[in-house]
Amino acid sequence: MWLAGRTALVTGAGRGIGAATAHRLASEGARVAVNDLDAALAQAVADAVVAEGGVAMACPADLLDVDAVDRLVSSLVDTWGVPDVVVNNAGTTRDRMFHRMDAETFAFGLDANLTTTVNVTRATAGVMRAAAKEEIARSGAPDHVRKIIFTSSVAALTGNPGQANYTAAKGALIALARTLAQELGPFAITVNVVAPGFVETRLTAANDDGSAGLGIPTAVRDSIRAMIALGRLGQPSDIAAVHAFLASSDSDFMSGVTLPVTGGQFGGMG
């Protein structure tokens, strides 16, 4: 098991990619703190992990509230110790063409996809760095490599009409990871990015009448599928598998890297 004895925090883990990641890390032996804004969703995922034989606890919090994030991390450290793995997965979309995108909608995209990650990373990197410093003072080197992972999007690499707020935030995560990889590297903390292509979630479900404000037209989904070399849409488990790899010791010499996970998707990214 890749992550036996490790502690992991997964944000935005109440559904979709985050939930799949929580299940996958637990199946690899990690104790998983399941974060989501929706406490009921976080608890449901934690309960499902435990039912499968894993170890998990729900840690609901509003990641835009710095004090709430600090309390979450403090509670996690008190319960299971300093996290070894942090998967920053929280995020969502609010699409609109740029010339019609008001300031509130643009700020929403930055907050949901960038500020949440900044807040969690600031809090967790601090305790991870402090633990590494203590280990260096005691034995000359950190006990093991700790991992911070960002979930960006391949749209940050290609651009995508109607998603100026989303792509700006997701692109910033890639730049942030490169800087933090350099700052945290001396403490054996890696920072890497997963950039999913088109993945089946509630944000990409078929929605032809625009109801609920989520989903996309079937015709758009079909056109994107036609651009994917492997001939299918991605599943949350496909991204969770790469999160698990980056969380494992097999990636200990990788940092500042962005891994597109697209199934060989070419053309517009949808």
Side-chain angles (χ1 to χ4, degrees), residues 27-92:
S27 76
E28 297 292 349
R31 299 178 294 261
V32 182
V34 180
N35 163 263
D36 200 272
L37 179 61
D38 188 319
L41 289 177
Q43 190 63 59
V45 171
D47 289 345
V49 168
V50 171
E52 294 169 355
V55 178
M57 65 176 174
C59 297
D62 179 355
L63 303 183
L64 292 177
D65 182 338
V66 173
D67 290 338
V69 172
D70 288 343
R71 289 193 298 270
L72 184 161
V73 174
S74 178
S75 177
L76 176 58
V77 171
D78 289 344
T79 304
W80 285 340
V82 173
D84 304 291
V85 177
V86 178
V87 181
N88 288 282
N89 180 74
T92 189

Side-chain angles (χ1 to χ4, degrees), residues 87-129:
V87 181
N88 288 282
N89 180 74
T92 189
T93 58
R94 186 174 291 177
D95 298 348
R96 192 170 297 168
M97 294 300 288
F98 185 67
H99 66 282
R100 295 177 178 170
M101 185 176 291
D102 56 35
E104 180 183 359
T105 301
F106 193 86
F108 174 87
L110 296 184
D111 281 344
N113 298 286
L114 175 61
T115 305
T116 53
T117 293
V118 168
N119 289 345
V120 172
T121 302
R122 182 187 294 113
T124 53
V127 297
M128 296 163 88
R129 184 179 182 276

Side-chain angles (χ1 to χ4, degrees), residues 119-210:
N119 289 345
V120 172
T121 302
R122 182 187 294 113
T124 53
V127 297
M128 296 163 88
R129 184 179 182 276
K133 288 183 69 175
E134 290 180 4
E135 292 159 1
I136 292 169
R138 181 178 65 246
S139 57
D143 291 348
H144 58 277
V145 178
R146 295 177 171 90
K147 310 300 183 83
I148 297 174
I149 303 164
F150 296 164
T151 304
S152 178
S153 169
V154 76
L157 305 175
T158 65
N160 199 40
Q163 291 193 317
N165 52 359
Y166 180 78
T167 55
K170 293 298 192 180
L173 292 179
I174 293 171
L176 178 63
R178 290 172 177 163
T179 293
L180 294 184
Q182 297 177 55
E183 291 188 6
L184 298 174
F187 305 96
I189 302 169
T190 66
V191 187
N192 290 298
V193 183
V194 178
F198 193 94
V199 177
E200 292 262 34
T201 69
R202 70 189 182 113
L203 301 180
T204 59
N207 184 353
D208 292 317
D209 63 8

